[in-house]
Amino acid sequence: MALSSSVKGTLTNHKDLIHDVSYNYYGDRLATCSSDQHVKVWEKDSNEDWVCKNTWKAHQASIWRVVWAHPEFGNVLATCSFDRTAIVWEELVSVSASGEIHNQFVSKHTFVDSRTSVSDVKFAPKNLGMLLATCSNDGIVRIYEAPDVMNLTQWNILIEIGVKMSCSSISWCSAMRLQPIIAVGCDDPGSSPSGKVILYEFSDGMRKCTKIDSIPSITEPVQDLCFAPNIGRSVNLLAIATKDVAIVQLKSQGKSQSTTRFDQKIVGQFTDHKQTVWRLCWNITGTTLASTGDDGCVRLWKSNYLGTWSCCGVLKGDGSLIKSQTSGEPAGLLSAPSASNQAEINRHAQIKRNSGWPNFNTQKDQGAHYY
């Protein structure tokens, strides 16, 4: 498997550490936030170069996260900061007398309920309406609702969840066939017998969240977590960033006492970064995971048809592929399978497509389907 990479642009306008990067739904706009207290929105010009179109001071302290809402609700951003607030921003477009189009992001609402740093903010899947979840170092997850999506100055707090540990990250599960699930990651350095990832089920009708499970195998402080987009899978994948990268498979067991229960299985755990992993991101189909950490590299993870996850590419900060010392191939590409995997591959290779139908006639039965 060969990979190639090229630098499409270097965004250098921030004056301090960049904490988060977020593409919009269509992938044609990019928002960044930084310790310089500013948010910047970038767009591609006619030469396919990224150009900063909007920049503004959004908070009074470092900004940890920036996230786009679904375009069904307009061009809307949410940010959260060490200054103990989260803010919703909406893009307003105006036309001058000369016909020039001007756009700017305007603060629509500031959430001031937290007594400590707000560490993460996430919009809910669009089928739930305009919901926004935040988590804070005070160990509380808050879910807000905008009753009128045309007026984002009005928000109501629906639920407060006391997690009892410092919260670092949250993620909504987008699987349509399940009750909405929220995963909460905790970066509390103390030990926890139930683990540092907790799952809550959100009941839209009853307006409440119920703790349904935890992941006891995750005992290190969690810096980020992210559900994979679910497109037709019977299971959900949750990526978790600690000092390692872990991919946990969650398979619903159905309802037990009105709450959903899951079979848990760690399908991938990787120590390649060898240092703290800070951010995770799935591609739109949920088949490839990107992770970045203190080693200054972006690593890409992908599974084969047997469900075995491995690194399929490593990018340095300048966008170049890291080469291995032996083969000259990019480090982390899909390597030779292990003995157990090779045996499984050989077993599959021996199965002939029509082995069960010795008299199968392709021309005669071309309209039939066999399973």
Side-chain angles (χ1 to χ4, degrees):
M1 178 181 178
L3 292 179
S4 62
S5 72
S6 61
V7 178
K8 299 299 183 182
T10 303
L11 314 182
T12 59
N13 287 20
H14 281 290
K15 297 179 181 179
D16 209 329
L17 186 67
I18 296 174
H19 293 287
D20 201 15
V21 176
S22 178
Y23 283 96
N24 70 345
Y25 180 83
Y26 301 108
D28 56 1
R29 304 181 80 183
L30 184 67
T32 58
C33 65
S34 167
S35 281
D36 64 9
Q37 306 173 13
H38 283 68
V39 172
K40 297 180 184 293
V41 175
W42 309 74
E43 298 179 13
K44 282 187 176 181
D45 61 13
S46 57
N47 297 321
E48 294 294 305
D49 295 323
W50 288 98
V51 178
C52 183
K53 293 292 187 179
N54 301 90
T55 180
W56 69 96
K57 184 176 180 179
H59 288 268
Q60 302 300 316
S62 295
I63 306 172
W64 303 133
R65 300 279 189 164
V66 59
V67 62
W68 294 86
H70 191 275
E72 180 178 300
F73 304 109
N75 292 320
V76 178
L77 286 170
T79 57
C80 64
S81 169
F82 184 75
D83 66 7
R84 302 180 295 177
T85 67
I87 303 177
V88 171
W89 308 85
E90 184 176 21
E91 185 180 36
L92 300 182
V93 180
S94 60
V95 181
S96 66
S98 61
E100 294 183 356
I101 298 176
H102 300 278
N103 66 316
Q104 63 177 340
F105 283 84
V106 177
S107 173
K108 305 300 287 187
H109 190 84
T110 301
F111 304 95
V112 295
D113 302 285
S114 177
R115 297 181 180 179
T116 58
S117 172
V118 182
S119 51
D120 200 0
V121 58
K122 290 290 191 303
F123 286 104
K126 72 179 181 68
N127 59 291
L128 298 178
M130 195 56 156
L131 299 183
L132 183 71
T134 67
C135 69
S136 309
N137 291 153
D138 58 9
I140 297 179
V141 175
R142 298 174 175 89
I143 300 178
Y144 302 89
E145 179 187 38
D148 181 3
V149 297
M150 302 303 293
N151 179 16
L152 296 182
T153 62
Q154 300 295 322
W155 290 77
N156 301 325
I157 186 166
L158 289 183
I159 301 168
E160 284 191 351
I161 308 170
V163 182
K164 299 180 181 179
M165 289 187 290
S166 174
C167 300
S168 61
S169 52
I170 49 179
S171 181
W172 292 84
C173 179
S174 61
M176 298 286 289
R177 57 189 177 78
L178 295 176
Q179 282 284 97
I181 304 295
I182 304 174
V184 181
C186 303
D187 59 358
D188 196 302
S191 61
S192 173
S194 59
K196 297 297 178 68
V197 177
I198 305 171
L199 303 177
Y200 293 90
E201 186 174 79
F202 173 71
S203 174
D204 190 28
M206 301 181 66
R207 290 297 197 262
K208 70 174 185 178
C209 273
T210 306
K211 180 181 176 180
I212 57 174
D213 215 340
S214 61
I215 303 180
S217 56
I218 305 299
T219 58
E220 296 289 336
V222 174
Q223 308 301 334
D224 195 14
L225 48 73
C226 187
F227 273 109
N230 192 318
I231 303 179
R233 276 195 303 265
S234 61
V235 297
N236 288 292
L237 297 176
L238 178 63
I240 304 168
T242 58
K243 62 181 181 63
D244 307 323
V245 176
I247 302 174
V248 180
Q249 177 181 286
L250 301 172
K251 185 175 183 180
S252 174
Q253 296 177 324
K255 292 283 187 178
S256 174
Q257 296 181 350
S258 75
T259 59
T260 306
R261 306 296 296 178
F262 291 99
D263 279 329
Q264 302 177 16
K265 179 183 179 182
I266 295 182
V267 294
Q269 190 157 14
F270 312 102
T271 61
D272 301 45
H273 282 284
K274 302 186 186 304
Q275 298 185 54
T276 301
V277 182
W278 289 103
R279 290 291 183 264
L280 301 167
C281 184
W282 291 93
N283 67 342
I284 195 170
T285 57
T287 55
T288 303
L289 175 70
S291 63
T292 183
D294 278 340
D295 61 346
C297 294
V298 175
R299 299 178 186 271
L300 304 177
W301 312 92
K302 194 175 179 66
S303 70
N304 60 17
Y305 74 98
L306 296 175
T308 303
W309 287 82
S310 58
C311 184
C312 64
V314 184
L315 299 174
K316 292 169 62 177
D318 60 4
S320 60
L321 285 168
I322 295 179
K323 306 292 182 179
S324 65
Q325 296 180 352
T326 54
S327 65
E329 290 296 321
L333 295 185
L334 295 180
S335 56
S338 63
S340 59
N341 285 346
Q342 187 62 56
E344 184 70 6
I345 292 172
N346 293 339
R347 187 181 70 82
H348 280 270
Q350 293 171 1
I351 300 176
K352 297 181 180 179
R353 185 174 184 273
N354 299 325
S355 59
W357 311 302
N359 299 319
F360 180 84
N361 184 292
T362 303
Q363 184 175 6
K364 175 182 177 183
D365 299 321
Q366 61 184 353
H369 296 278
Y370 297 88
Y371 299 96

